[in-house]
Amino acid sequence: MTAADVLVLGGAGVDTIVRVPELPLPYADSYMIDSGIRTRAGQTGDFVALGLAALGLRTHHLDFLGDDPEGDLVRALHSEHGIALTALPQPAGTKRAVNLVGPDGRRLSLYDTTRARPGDRFPEATLRTLAAASRHVHVTITQPGAHALPVLRETGVPLSTDLHDWDGENPYHEAFAHAADVVFLSAAALTDPERTMRRIAGRGRAHTVVATAGAEGAYLLADGALTRIPAARPPAPVVDTNGAGDAFAAAFLYGLLAGEPPERCARYGAIAGAHACTVPADRAEATSRKELLRRAAAPDH
């Protein structure tokens, strides 16, 4: 019997949210931020884990955390939402970022790269034990995840990853793209999404590749066939796009593990992603299984 439906590797941290009057932000000596500046737990791995747990999947998250206030925020988030967490000690501190969020929900993220060390590795014994007890593993593209890929492939557990705004050229992302069975990425930096998607599938193991395209929906490549997935209608005004891709991935994996066909999984993803865009940046909140299925059954979702 498996101990988890999905093991999420990496991507734990905190974001400091600053709502700015416009992006790009013109130079000025200072700005008055009337909406406040807030720090909350939630980076890509946290948001995927949160989305999975909200959909009723048993979720385990493995990453490095510091013994610091930021780490305490991450631990509290997992405890609050019933997500199992294995936190490895990180002397460099918990990962953090600053997100500048514009009035239309777009964001600019500034990542603190000092909170990691080149030698960071997930212990192989821990990795094998947790992977063997899981139905699926989702690997974030943080550096320890790259070194975990060969061990994960040996376990035989199905893998997914999110390449985020990959340009199709940066070699760092290729190991993830070619090792995973399901690959998510954003189409934002791609001039020809289909070409990149087919290259991923042709050179790697992926049977499914999904490129999200914001308000234009998504591209789904499954078993060699390309399908356009329409965007779902947001249930409320769009306030922040942060976490939309993570929500899409979580809902897609929910459908996959439920045995749904790829197009249905992608529609789940579109619905969850649209919901995420309506959640203010200073909150960590995901759509529930009940709401996802209700919207998926509605004709105008």
Side-chain angles (χ1 to χ4, degrees), residues 156-216:
V157 179
L159 305 180
S160 60
T161 193
D162 190 339
L163 308 179
H164 297 282
D165 58 346
W166 187 40
D167 61 2
E169 302 296 335
N170 188 332
Y172 175 80
H173 298 69
E174 289 183 350
F176 296 92
H178 298 161
D181 303 284
V182 179
V183 176
F184 303 99
L185 74 162
S186 166
L190 302 178
T191 56
D192 187 342
E194 181 177 359
R195 183 181 65 182
T196 300
M197 295 168 73
R198 290 195 180 278
R199 191 166 74 236
I200 290 171
R203 295 181 181 179
R205 305 174 54 95
H207 56 73
T208 303
V209 183
V210 183
T212 57
E216 297 179 6

Side-chain angles (χ1 to χ4, degrees), residues 27-299:
Y27 174 77
D29 180 72
S30 60
Y31 283 90
M32 302 297 108
I33 307 300
D34 296 333
S35 58
I37 297 175
R38 298 179 175 85
T39 297
R40 55 108 178 98
Q43 292 193 355
T44 182
D46 300 312
F47 279 136
V48 172
L50 180 67
L52 293 165
L55 293 170
L57 295 177
R58 298 166 299 166
T59 307
H60 198 121
H61 194 180
L62 170 66
D63 201 6
F64 292 86
L65 289 180
D67 183 13
D68 49 24
E70 293 88 353
D72 291 341
L73 287 174
V74 174
R75 294 180 184 92
L77 175 73
H78 288 68
S79 176
E80 178 184 353
H81 294 278
I83 303 167
L85 173 67
T86 296
L88 304 171
Q90 175 54 282
T94 303
K95 290 186 289 294
R96 60 183 175 180
V98 175
N99 287 347
L100 306 184
V101 182
D104 59 356
R106 291 183 305 133
R107 76 164 192 272
L108 185 154
S109 296
L110 307 172
Y111 290 99
D112 180 351
T113 61
T114 68
R115 299 208 161 196
R117 302 174 303 180
D120 289 339
R121 302 286 188 278
F122 296 125
E124 184 172 332
T126 301
L127 195 59
R128 289 186 182 276
T129 298
L130 292 177
S134 305
R135 297 172 60 197
H136 186 93
V137 179
H138 182 78
V139 188
T140 68
I141 57 171
T142 53
Q143 177 259 335
H147 294 279
L149 291 172
V151 173
L152 292 171
R153 289 281 16 141
E154 289 178 11
T155 68
V157 179
L159 305 180
S160 60
T161 193
D162 190 339
L163 308 179
H164 297 282
D165 58 346
W166 187 40
D167 61 2
E169 302 296 335
N170 188 332
Y172 175 80
H173 298 69
E174 289 183 350
F176 296 92
H178 298 161
D181 303 284
V182 179
V183 176
F184 303 99
L185 74 162
S186 166
L190 302 178
T191 56
D192 187 342
E194 181 177 359
R195 183 181 65 182
T196 300
M197 295 168 73
R198 290 195 180 278
R199 191 166 74 236
I200 290 171
R203 295 181 181 179
R205 305 174 54 95
H207 56 73
T208 303
V209 183
V210 183
T212 57
E216 297 179 6
Y219 303 86
L220 168 68
L221 179 65
D223 299 321
L226 186 73
T227 305
R228 287 297 301 271
I229 304 298
R233 179 175 52 82
V238 172
V239 294
D240 180 26
T241 59
N242 188 52
D246 302 321
F248 188 110
F252 189 102
L253 294 178
Y254 163 76
L256 183 71
L257 293 175
E260 298 285 3
E263 187 169 343
R264 183 73 169 175
C265 296
R267 295 196 184 280
Y268 284 167
I271 293 167
H275 171 87
C277 291
T278 69
V279 178
D282 57 353
R283 292 198 343 237
E285 175 190 306
T287 191
S288 67
R289 179 191 295 187
K290 180 179 179 180
E291 180 63 14
L292 177 72
L293 297 180
R294 185 192 70 78
R295 293 205 63 208

